[in-house]
């Protein structure tokens, strides 16, 4: 056991988690490192932000997931440096101590972070990348409604305007979920017509929504969102963000106390130091087997990696790609240990989906199969339930969705203490 090679994986996201699981039973020691002690199911973050689900329904404790895997260990900490010459990492633990971790094989699966695209003060906006972001946004939404209801904020000042920057899947899903929250749940919880003052604005710089989908799906999403009262702005880009709202390049100002930035991502800064080429979004260019050409003992997988499929297309930054890459690297490590040649990664595209609010979604599958509306929404529900990790999470989510569907009531609407502040000095 002691002389078995050590595979260090940084990142307990979709890629890292699936790799670590696939290494069970292999003659290696697996050490997983993450800055959180849990895995987050990011596709459902918008439901935590809009009070449909509790945070713990979409997160799993890493040690609990791997409790039965004998060759597994976990370290809670933040990777700060890779010394590929000495084959070791420096990891900062939660008390600020620096520990060194040696590896035989290193797999970086650190994902991406929000890219504010150089827009002044956009960093002040709300984001939706992790569980903390989702809880922060949920608190903000609830706080704004409570303050207006209490007469402490003027609804005409942008207090109930929610501007979402970025018309990709996350922006569309969030806009749809916000309009459901305000139109169904808050309409009954805040009497007196408060919701009539709400405004959801979705801003996209390109001329259509959901550019990763077929143009018809983007047009469908736009029609539906507009029907639900969302103000969709296409071909408009943001020049400036501050606490009062944002300014568009065309000169228009939108007063909004809540600006949510979901317009771009870039690979985590740390991957900039990886000795390999990088794409514009900071993704590390890897070889066909997902290892670095000059350092074959280092692999990069998931959103942080750039690899082209056999038809010359850059693999998208999606959960199924990350899952398949994690499993692929496990197979390659197995082959290396047996002295076999490396195999190239090939992404098996099984389709993409996005919700647009209650009862409606878009689902696209290979060979041009497209579904819109209720059938796509049912497929989306089923798939996400299957993909969630752990029986407890699946049953919690199923219960919350059922309750929400039947009663139109989003149950996870607790505002955490940070939402309550004392009077200004
Ligand atoms: C809001 C949202 C909605 C999405 N919806 C969908 C969807 O509907 N369908 C879909 O297919 N995809 C969706 N995605 C994309 C999908 O979540 C990603 O493609 C997937 O998570 C990538 O997996 P990963 O393992 O590469 O990275 P991640 O899942 O992001 O995991 C990276 C891990 O690395 C850790 N980490 C990062 N840096 C360090 C460090 N320095 N030290 C220690 N740990 C570190 C992080 O804590 C994290 O646990 C969505 C993403 C977001 C943000």
């Amino acid at each position: 056991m002691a002389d078995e090679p050590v595979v260090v994986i940084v990142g307990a996201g979709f890629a890292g988690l699936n790799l670590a699981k696939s290494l069970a039973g292999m003659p290696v020691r697996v050490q997983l490192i993450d800055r959180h002690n849990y895995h987050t199911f990011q596709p459902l973050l918008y439901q935590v932000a809009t009070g449909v689900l509790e945070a713990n329904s979409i997160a799993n404790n890493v040690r609990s997931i791997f409790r039965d895997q004998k060759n597994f260990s976990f370290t809670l900490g933040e990777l700060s440096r890779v010394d590929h010459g000495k084959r070791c990492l420096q990891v900062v633990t939660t008390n600020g101590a620096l520990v060194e971790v040696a590896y035989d094989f290193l797999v970086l699966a650190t994902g991406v972070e929000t890219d504010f695209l150089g827009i002044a003060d956009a960093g002040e906006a709300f984001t939706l990348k992790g569980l903390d972001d989702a809880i922060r946004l949920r608190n903000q939404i609830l706080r704004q409604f409570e303050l207006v209801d209490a007469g402490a904020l003027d609804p005409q000042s942008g207090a109930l305007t929610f501007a979402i920057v970025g018309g990709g899947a996350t922006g569309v899903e969030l806009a749809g979920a916000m309009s459901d929250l305000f139109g169904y749940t808050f309409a009954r919880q805040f009497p007196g017509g408060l919701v009539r003052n709400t405004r959801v604005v979705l801003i996209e710089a390109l001329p259509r929504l959901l550019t990763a989908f077929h143009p018809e799906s983007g047009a469908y999403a736009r029609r539906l969102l507009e029907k639900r009262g969302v103000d969709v702005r296409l071909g408009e880009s943001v020049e400036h963000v501050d606490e009062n709202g944002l300014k568009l390049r065309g000169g228009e100002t939108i007063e909004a106390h809540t600006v949510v930035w979901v317009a771009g991502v870039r690979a985590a800064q740390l991957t900039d130091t990886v000795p390999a080429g990088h794409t514009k979004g900071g993704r590390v260019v890897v070889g066909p087997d997902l290892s670095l050409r000059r350092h074959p003992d280092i692999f990069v997988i998931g959103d942080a990696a750039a690899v082209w499929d056999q038809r010359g297309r850059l693999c998208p930054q999606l959960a199924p790609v990350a899952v398949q890459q994690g499993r692929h690297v496990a197979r390659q490590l197995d082959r290396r240990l047996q002295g076999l040649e490396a195999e190239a990664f090939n992404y098996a595209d099984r389709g993409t989906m996005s919700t647009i609010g209650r009862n409606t979604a878009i689902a696209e599958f290979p060979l041009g199969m497209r579904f819109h509306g209720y059938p796509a929404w049912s497929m989306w529900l089923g798939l996400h339930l299957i993909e969630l990790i752990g029986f407890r999470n699946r049953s919690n989510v199923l219960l919350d969705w059922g309750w929400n569907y039947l009663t139109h009531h989003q149950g996870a609407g607790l505002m955490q203490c940070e939402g309550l502040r004392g009077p200004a000095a």
Side-chain angles (χ1 to χ4, degrees):
M1 179 93 175
D3 52 3
E4 284 176 344
V6 178
V7 181
V8 173
I9 306 165
V10 187
F14 286 98
L17 206 71
N18 278 280
L19 168 60
K21 277 187 182 174
S22 306
L23 294 172
M26 273 179 53
V28 292
R29 282 186 288 147
V30 180
Q31 184 169 1
L32 181 59
I33 300 171
D34 200 291
R35 55 161 80 108
H36 298 119
N37 73 339
Y38 54 83
H39 163 79
T40 308
F41 192 87
Q42 291 175 0
L44 291 178
L45 279 173
Y46 78 95
Q47 297 210 352
V48 173
T50 51
V52 179
L53 296 174
E54 297 290 355
N56 62 1
S57 296
I58 67 157
N60 284 76
N61 181 292
V62 174
R63 288 183 189 275
S64 162
I65 298 171
F66 289 96
R67 62 190 177 274
D68 296 327
Q69 187 167 323
K70 297 270 182 295
N71 65 351
F72 176 86
S73 66
F74 176 68
T75 303
L76 178 65
E78 170 126 12
L79 171 64
S80 70
R81 204 173 95 82
V82 180
D83 185 337
H84 43 83
K86 282 208 249 158
R87 285 187 169 186
C88 81
L89 311 177
Q90 286 185 347
V91 175
V92 184
T93 58
T94 50
N95 66 352
L98 205 62
V99 293
E100 290 218 332
V101 177
Y103 67 84
D104 294 297
F105 295 102
L106 171 65
V107 187
L108 295 174
T110 43
V112 286
E113 54 196 28
T114 303
D115 186 356
F116 296 103
L117 308 171
I119 305 299
D121 291 332
E124 299 299 312
F126 289 81
T127 53
L128 197 58
K129 193 66 197 66
L131 221 46
D132 300 350
D133 299 332
I135 293 169
R136 220 178 121 237
L137 179 55
R138 187 181 70 190
N139 284 343
Q140 165 72 1
I141 296 170
L142 291 165
R143 185 192 301 127
Q144 292 302 110
F145 274 83
E146 293 296 350
L147 286 172
V148 171
D149 188 55
L153 277 182
D154 174 6
Q156 307 304 328
S157 67
L160 295 183
T161 299
F162 300 84
I164 302 167
V165 187
T170 302
V172 165
E173 291 188 324
L174 186 62
M178 275 189 182
S179 72
D180 285 350
L181 175 68
F182 304 157
Y184 295 111
T185 307
F186 283 3
R188 286 197 282 162
Q189 287 182 358
F190 292 93
L194 200 68
V195 294
R196 278 201 296 274
N197 295 302
T198 58
R199 189 173 163 215
V200 179
V201 190
L202 178 61
I203 303 155
E204 167 57 52
L206 294 173
R208 69 181 178 93
L209 295 177
L210 297 175
T211 47
F213 290 74
H214 190 276
E216 265 180 28
S217 302
Y220 174 80
R222 178 188 184 175
R223 275 199 308 279
L224 252 141
L225 287 175
E226 286 181 337
K227 218 166 126 193
R228 289 171 184 223
V230 176
D231 179 1
V232 179
R233 306 295 193 88
L234 299 180
E236 305 211 30
S237 46
V238 172
E239 187 180 82
H240 177 81
V241 178
D242 62 31
E243 73 276 8
N244 297 318
L246 50 84
K247 188 172 169 215
L248 299 174
R249 278 202 206 286
E252 188 188 347
T253 302
I254 298 177
E255 276 185 55
H257 290 195
T258 315
V259 176
V260 190
W261 187 273
V262 288
V265 290
R266 72 170 321 282
Q269 296 283 338
L270 188 102
T271 44
D272 290 352
T273 60
V274 172
H278 293 79
T279 62
K280 206 166 144 235
R283 294 164 78 177
V284 180
V285 177
V286 290
D289 71 337
L290 308 178
S291 69
L292 301 187
R293 290 184 198 276
R294 284 190 288 133
H295 295 274
D297 53 338
I298 302 180
F299 293 80
V300 184
I301 56 175
D303 281 2
V307 64
W308 285 261
D309 69 13
Q310 285 166 337
R311 288 159 67 189
R313 293 172 310 186
L314 182 62
C315 286
Q317 288 166 300
L318 290 173
V321 178
V323 169
Q324 290 176 30
Q325 291 188 341
R327 292 176 185 156
H328 179 81
V329 168
R331 276 196 304 278
Q332 299 323 299
L333 290 173
D334 191 24
R335 290 177 71 84
R336 284 232 196 140
L337 297 178
Q338 295 182 54
L340 299 171
E341 257 183 47
E343 295 167 326
F345 172 73
N346 196 14
Y347 171 48
D349 181 2
R350 300 201 177 93
T352 341
M353 298 185 190
S354 172
T355 58
I356 320 170
R358 191 180 171 83
N359 290 351
T360 336
I362 288 164
E364 292 189 357
F365 299 101
L367 305 176
M369 275 195 296
R370 288 197 300 279
F371 299 88
H372 295 164
Y374 191 78
W377 189 67
S378 317
M379 290 178 212
W380 181 93
L381 286 184
L383 186 86
H384 282 74
L385 265 186
I386 293 167
E387 283 181 350
L388 269 171
I389 295 169
F391 176 75
R392 187 183 57 83
N393 282 6
R394 275 191 217 113
S395 42
N396 283 351
V397 168
L398 188 62
L399 264 178
D400 282 339
W401 282 351
W403 175 255
N404 182 240
Y405 187 76
L406 294 173
T407 64
H408 289 238
H409 175 78
Q410 332 254 105
L414 295 185
M415 189 160 78
Q416 297 191 339
C417 296
E418 63 161 280
L420 301 171
R421 294 200 188 114

